[in-house]
């Protein structure tokens, strides 16, 4: 079933693109609390990278649903280049919106502690929460997974690549919004004796800022506050907007079209989407987040255009397993979680995409091709739904002699490549859904 150039009513994809993709314009700083305004300035500050060329917003663009908006990258490997030219990570940037609502990472053993003696519960707990695709931003450090996550990219050598947390703090404190940092965190928050050579040291990939023990403690505290500020912005209405058609419908302000309503029925029923992307209201009738915050291996093929994979052809993404191996008490569960990636929210999933326009979603300005899944293998929601529908019914591309097939090659040849990770693939909720175009 090859992608058609004339739109056809692939109802689930259309409903996702249209109903979950509408959002308001970014809130102005006048509408933000001081800590949220501070977080916004940090989020969009390109100076907080070793080459002064990359901010959080480089990979988390509001108009694209807080993911990367470069169509050349999304149409290929989907992994974004870091501040240092030629440095690439190994996964597609996840959306930063609604990430603050993920719970602190924990293992759910079900009702075992209440007397349930089902043996599998003792062997395979369900891991929930955290941020990043593999859950390693747990929230154990700062009490918020989004804040833990915010500390990663500044110092990651394949992202913003600053060599020392002191470089981040210095550029915040001595920059154009240093006074706001003092206002939010107190007049002594930036009271640090900086060495004269800090600007030079912070341009070196292996640079280490020389500080007294007392000033190093101040830097560590300030770096935590930088991350908490970013998380505050990500938790604001500018990021967590809750302005989709679904929110308007829940408020009695919008009626779904016939196609959208059918898409919702399939989403909840035959399509099995809601098995992981839970659409029921949260605690206190809070808007649904369309994720259960768990981890799953969907059998997604590897992305042969991933630049990290091109440099490391034998690499296989361990997902959650790679993180669990580093945690005392959880390492024993690593094999049963090999290949599992976090279930993302579907909010903003179609925002900014040309596919959303194709299905009549509202929007102005340019549109882009978006990439989907942790490795960006798929380039449209149609392809995602088609994979869920036919993963287990098509021949494997390898059986046809086709190796390292991109999604376009797979669709042209009526096959699907083998999963990137063959262990722990979910065979209950997808693979042979018996859906048709209508």
């Amino acid at each position: 079933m090859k992608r058609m150039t004339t739109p056809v009513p692939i109802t689930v994809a259309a409903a996702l693109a249209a109903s979950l993709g509408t959002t308001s314009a970014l809130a102005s700083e006048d509408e933000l609390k001081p800590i949220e305004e501070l977080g916004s300035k940090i989020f969009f500050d390109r100076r907080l990278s070793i080459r002064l060329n990359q901010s959080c917003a480089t990979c988390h663009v509001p108009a694209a649903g807080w993911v990367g908006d470069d169509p050349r990258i999304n149409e290929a490997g989907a992994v974004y280049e870091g501040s240092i030219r030629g440095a690439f990570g190994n996964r597609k940037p996840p959306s930063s919106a609604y990430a603050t609502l993920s719970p602190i990472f924990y293992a759910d053993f079900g009702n075992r502690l209440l007397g349930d003696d089902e043996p599998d519960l003792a062997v395979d707990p369900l891991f929930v929460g955290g941020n990043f695709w593999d859950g390693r931003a747990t929230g154990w450090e700062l009490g918020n997974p989004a804040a833990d996550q915010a500390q990663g990219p500044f110092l990651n050598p394949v992202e913003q690549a600053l060599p020392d947390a002191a470089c981040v703090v210095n550029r915040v404190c001595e920059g154009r919004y240093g006074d706001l940092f003092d206002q939010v965190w107190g007049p002594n928050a930036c009271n640090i004796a900086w060495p004269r050579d800090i600007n030079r040291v912070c341009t070196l990939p292996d640079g280490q800022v020389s500080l007294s023990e007392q000033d190093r403690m101040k830097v560590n505290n300030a770096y935590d506050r930088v991350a908490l500020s970013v998380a505050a912005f990500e938790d604001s209405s500018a990021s967590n907007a809750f302005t989709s058609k679904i929110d308007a419908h829940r408020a009695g302000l919008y009626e779904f079209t016939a196609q959208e309503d059918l898409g919702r029925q399939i989403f909840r029923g035959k399509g099995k989407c809601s098995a992981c992307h839970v659409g029921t209201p949260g605690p206190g009738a809070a808007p649904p987040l369309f994720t259960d915050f768990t981890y799953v291996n969907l059998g997604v093929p590897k992305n042969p255009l991933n630049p990290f994979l091109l440099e490391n052809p034998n690499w296989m993404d361990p997902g959650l397993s790679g993180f669990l191996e580093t945690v005392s008490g959880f390492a024993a569960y690593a094999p049963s979680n090999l290949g599992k990636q976090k279930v993302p929210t579907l909010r903003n999933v179609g925002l900014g995409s040309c596919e959303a326009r194709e299905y009549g979603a509202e929007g102005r300005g340019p549109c882009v091709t978006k990439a989907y899944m942790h490795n960006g293998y798929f380039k449209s929601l149609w392809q995602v739904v088609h994979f869920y529908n036919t993963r287990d019914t098509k021949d494997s591309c390898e059986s046809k002699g086709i190796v390292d097939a991109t999604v376009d090659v797979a669709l042209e040849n009526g096959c699907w490549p083998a999963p990137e990770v063959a262990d722990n693939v979910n065979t209950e909720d997808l693979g042979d859904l018996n859906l048709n175009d209508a």
Side-chain angles (χ1 to χ4, degrees), residues 122-125 127 321 324-337:
V123 177
D124 296 316
F127 288 96
S321 175
L324 294 180
E325 286 180 341
T326 70
V327 182
S328 177
F330 285 168
Y333 305 122
S336 59
N337 287 280

Side-chain angles (χ1 to χ4, degrees), residues 38 172-173 177-186 189-190 222 225-226:
L38 174 61
V172 169
C173 288
Y177 50 88
D179 291 344
L180 180 57
F181 194 85
D182 286 339
Q183 176 189 333
V184 170
W185 294 108
C190 287
R225 290 165 174 173
V226 165

Side-chain angles (χ1 to χ4, degrees), residues 132-155:
F132 287 125
W133 288 108
D134 60 5
R136 68 186 187 277
T138 59
W140 297 342
E141 296 297 325
L142 298 176
N144 183 331
D148 283 11
Q149 184 276 334
Q151 291 192 324
F154 294 122
L155 305 181

Side-chain angles (χ1 to χ4, degrees), residues 370-390:
K370 297 180 76 171
Y372 300 92
M373 303 303 183
H374 67 283
N375 62 8
Y377 182 79
F378 299 108
K379 312 304 179 183
S380 73
L381 289 167
W382 183 93
Q383 293 173 359
V384 172
V385 174
H386 183 50
F387 177 76
Y388 283 14
N389 189 33
T390 64

